[in-house]
Amino acid sequence: MLDIRPIAPDEADAFRDCVMTTFGGDLDDDPAGAERVRALIAPGRAWAAFDGATVAATAASFALTLGIPGGTLPMAGLTMVTVRPTHRRRGILRELLRLYVEDARQHGEPIGGLWASEATIYGRFGYGIAAEGDKLEVDTRGLAITRRRDDDDVHEWIDEAAARERLPEIYARAIADRPGALHRSEAWWRERRFLEAPFLRGGASRRRYVIVRRGRDAVGYVVYRQRGTFSSGLPNGTAEIVELVATDPAAEASLWRFILGIDLFPRATWGNAPTDTTLPWIVSDVRRVVRQRGDTLWLR
């Protein structure tokens, strides 16, 4: 008989072990993960199915704020949903989702949201695709921005300490009226956006931070990693964009001009670009920008 219930504080590692192994990782990939779970998920908002002493399935809920047309709404962010392969087809996921929905109602969260690991699962539970994103691959060699250069825009290299202080305010201005954008808490910035660990890098560099300024105002930023390599004696590195945020199209063009001009890195990638990025429409050769569209935010 399975015991399906909220986890106790001292069960965070057992909870994470089920999550990590189901997704193909190990606890020692992220030694500080238990503390991060406690920082991001309120007590009582992580559930597990216990088969004796073994955690057989998991689910949790982030308390988030989602931008909608005309304002924001609280959203229950479904996360860390797993069922061990030894316990499939027993109705465990349905029971976990029932607890999650009841909890969202109790917290006054009218929207439930998630990013789906498999597209076939969540339609059964009332979810549908609400937003999409593009995976971009850009051949930057000889590629130019055709939009008129704004000579008032200046690129400023900043370190992580400065980024922690300055990026949240720029982001808040940029997404203030953008439906589907997540409004980030201080804990979310600290535990998610500024988390820097080897398991996240996959062999790439630490994050680099560049702000674009117009006069005294910061109007955008780009966060990226570098993956350096040479091929036949020629530089063949990749700038891997983590996030590119701009308050207006001119600032976005300035940031792309910076990315396209990084020496030794003739490729740029962005795994989660918004579908309305201006890049394809402001470069000298649109075919150098390869886009692959996929679903991102699902809502119920």
Side-chain angles (χ1 to χ4, degrees):
M1 186 70 177
L2 295 175
D3 181 19
I4 302 178
R5 58 172 173 78
I7 67 169
D10 62 355
E11 293 170 329
D13 270 338
F15 177 92
R16 290 180 55 245
D17 180 67
C18 184
V19 173
M20 297 289 282
T21 57
T22 302
F23 281 97
D26 297 294
L27 280 179
D28 53 10
D29 293 339
D30 184 15
E35 290 74 18
R36 190 162 58 257
V37 168
R38 296 186 186 101
L40 292 172
I41 298 176
R45 303 201 76 177
W47 305 273
F50 291 84
D51 187 353
T54 301
V55 174
T58 63
S61 182
F62 292 128
L64 300 173
T65 301
L66 181 72
I68 63 167
T72 62
L73 279 177
M75 183 177 81
L78 183 62
T79 186
M80 291 182 273
V81 178
T82 65
V83 178
R84 289 192 190 272
T86 51
H87 289 73
R88 297 177 68 232
R89 309 300 184 193
R90 301 190 191 183
I92 302 174
L93 178 58
R94 185 169 296 279
E95 177 61 16
L96 288 169
L97 266 286
R98 185 187 67 80
L99 293 174
Y100 155 80
V101 171
E102 287 184 357
D103 179 80
R105 288 173 177 153
Q106 292 171 7
H107 283 88
E109 295 161 336
I111 297 177
L114 59 86
W115 280 40
S117 56
E118 293 184 83
T120 58
I121 296 175
Y122 293 99
R124 292 179 288 144
F125 300 102
Y127 285 90
I129 298 171
E132 295 179 311
D134 282 346
K135 179 180 179 180
L136 299 184
E137 294 187 10
V138 187
D139 180 351
T140 68
R141 288 168 292 195
L143 193 61
I145 299 295
T146 57
R147 188 188 185 282
R148 181 181 62 83
R149 185 184 184 94
D150 192 333
D151 290 332
D152 292 333
D153 285 1
V154 176
H155 299 123
E156 179 183 354
W157 186 279
I158 61 173
D159 61 17
E160 183 178 318
R164 287 176 179 268
E165 180 180 346
R166 300 175 66 180
L167 265 54
E169 186 274 333
I170 303 170
Y171 177 85
R173 282 191 286 119
I175 61 95
D177 299 318
R178 190 172 181 84
L182 292 180
H183 292 239
R184 298 173 182 169
S185 65
E186 181 181 347
W188 195 266
W189 276 102
R190 183 182 67 250
E191 303 293 343
R192 293 291 296 262
R193 303 312 305 181
F194 287 120
L195 175 64
E196 187 62 275
F199 80 93
L200 290 173
R201 298 187 345 224
S205 72
R206 295 179 66 90
R207 291 184 180 93
R208 317 303 193 199
Y209 302 94
V210 171
I211 282 177
V212 59
R213 288 189 293 105
R214 189 172 301 144
R216 295 184 177 180
D217 295 329
V219 291
Y221 65 84
V222 62
V223 182
Y224 69 100
R225 300 184 190 278
Q226 292 168 289
R227 191 178 298 274
T229 184
F230 282 76
S231 178
S232 300
L234 298 175
N236 195 33
T238 301
E240 300 176 352
I241 297 171
V242 178
E243 185 167 67
L244 189 151
V245 172
T247 60
D248 58 42
E252 183 179 354
S254 292
L255 291 168
W256 281 119
R257 185 174 284 111
F258 168 81
I259 289 292
L260 300 187
I262 300 176
D263 288 337
L264 308 181
F265 294 84
R267 295 179 66 251
T269 62
W270 190 2
N272 182 32
T275 57
D276 62 351
T277 178
T278 62
L279 181 64
W281 321 119
I282 61 173
V283 291
S284 54
D285 184 354
V286 66
R287 294 185 181 180
R288 298 282 193 92
V289 181
V290 178
R291 292 169 284 172
Q292 179 182 343
R293 184 148 301 177
D295 56 277
T296 54
L297 181 66
W298 293 58
L299 295 179
R300 61 163 283 165

